Amino acid sequence: MACCCVNEGDTIEVWEMPIEPEHATPESMDIMQAPGRREDHPLGGCGPREDQLMVGAVTIPAGSSVGLNCLHSPRQNRVVVCDVEPGPWQAWNEAHPRHNVDVGDEVLEVNRKRGDYRSILSELSCKGSGDGTTMTMSIRRPTEHCVFVSRGADDSLGLDLAPQDNGALFVCGIFAEGVLSAWNRRNAHRRIRSLDRIVEVNRFRGNAYELMDLLDAARDLEIVFQTHPDD
């Protein structure tokens, strides 16, 4: 399995990486330390949640990071939160539970700056200075959709997965030869893509490794993905 993530402290310069052929390898996705049956429906608890909202402002203390870990896909030009660590945004979440920044949220803009993934990552990587740096973000909630697939004994799902330390499980890429690549070809309007998050397998919700065990063991699969459809 190809590795699409780097360890904490490594230098990331994804803009210098060559673009691979569309179906030669999984879609490129890198990690940056910046400090029942169902159809498509908004992610949420007891009631509907806003699809897109502005969060903050928070103050980043001098010398501190923002406390967000993000995954990004150059091909999709997309940045998604994969963890919220102790820091300004975790404090924001505790004070604003209805407008929290959550795992799986897409970051659309930072400090009113909306651009490509490089500019968003640059803003998120800045440390506080002086008396503190103020930060706001525009985020978009994911939606959930359910995929049903069956496979033979020798069939591969064709998923490259990126389990996170907090238990979240993200799709790193889709191999050209596999059950889910074939599903994508038949369902272009509901494609599984890198940066999608797997939250449930066969009606079980658990941590990344429990979900991966189910994906390996079962022939008939009901998989719930969180995704960000194109605008």
Side-chain angles (χ1 to χ4, degrees):
M1 179 180 292
C3 179
C4 65
C5 300
V6 299
N7 297 320
E8 183 173 358
D10 286 355
T11 300
I12 300 176
E13 295 181 332
V14 296
W15 49 87
E16 295 181 0
M17 295 173 61
I19 300 299
E20 298 292 340
E22 181 70 23
H23 297 297
T25 62
E27 291 185 7
S28 174
M29 181 181 74
D30 304 278
I31 183 169
M32 177 176 180
Q33 302 288 338
R37 303 179 182 263
R38 55 183 67 76
E39 290 299 324
D40 295 5
H41 61 81
L43 168 68
C46 298
R49 296 171 69 176
E50 299 165 271
D51 174 64
Q52 185 174 327
L53 66 156
M54 186 71 69
V55 291
V58 302
T59 299
I60 315 300
S64 298
S65 65
V66 300
L68 294 179
N69 293 343
C70 294
L71 300 169
H72 68 278
S73 171
R75 184 172 299 176
Q76 293 184 44
N77 192 34
R78 199 181 302 272
V79 177
V80 171
V81 176
C82 66
D83 197 8
V84 183
E85 297 182 335
W89 282 110
Q90 189 178 91
W92 165 271
N93 286 351
E94 293 168 356
H96 304 84
R98 292 175 59 86
H99 296 85
N100 64 316
V101 180
D102 205 356
V103 174
D105 288 344
E106 179 182 3
V107 181
L108 301 176
E109 63 179 47
V110 180
N111 292 336
R112 304 284 182 176
K113 296 178 182 177
R114 183 184 294 248
D116 67 10
Y117 73 96
R118 298 178 186 87
S119 62
I120 290 175
L121 291 176
S122 177
E123 290 291 323
L124 290 175
S125 66
C126 292
K127 294 184 179 295
S129 60
D131 294 330
T133 301
T134 300
M135 176 177 288
T136 61
M137 295 192 302
S138 174
I139 60 175
R140 182 169 67 161
R141 305 297 194 195
T143 61
E144 291 188 359
H145 72 99
C146 192
V147 170
F148 302 91
V149 292
S150 296
R151 59 178 172 179
D154 298 326
D155 292 334
S156 169
L157 283 179
L159 281 179
D160 198 6
L161 298 174
Q164 304 298 304
D165 291 342
N166 62 356
L169 182 60
F170 286 87
V171 175
C172 184
I174 311 292
F175 289 102
E177 299 299 326
V179 171
L180 289 176
S181 180
W183 191 93
N184 275 353
R185 290 192 290 272
R186 296 191 302 270
N187 299 272
H189 64 297
R190 297 177 65 212
R191 289 173 57 86
I192 301 159
R193 303 178 300 174
S194 65
L195 296 185
D196 285 357
R197 180 186 176 190
I198 297 175
V199 295
E200 181 179 312
V201 178
N202 290 348
R203 305 198 180 190
F204 173 82
R205 295 201 177 210
N207 67 45
Y209 294 99
E210 292 172 322
L211 296 176
M212 290 170 71
D213 286 344
L214 287 173
L215 291 172
D216 287 339
R219 299 280 185 87
D220 298 318
L221 290 164
E222 176 183 344
I223 310 171
V224 178
F225 293 88
Q226 289 180 355
T227 189
H228 292 277
D230 292 328
D231 294 329

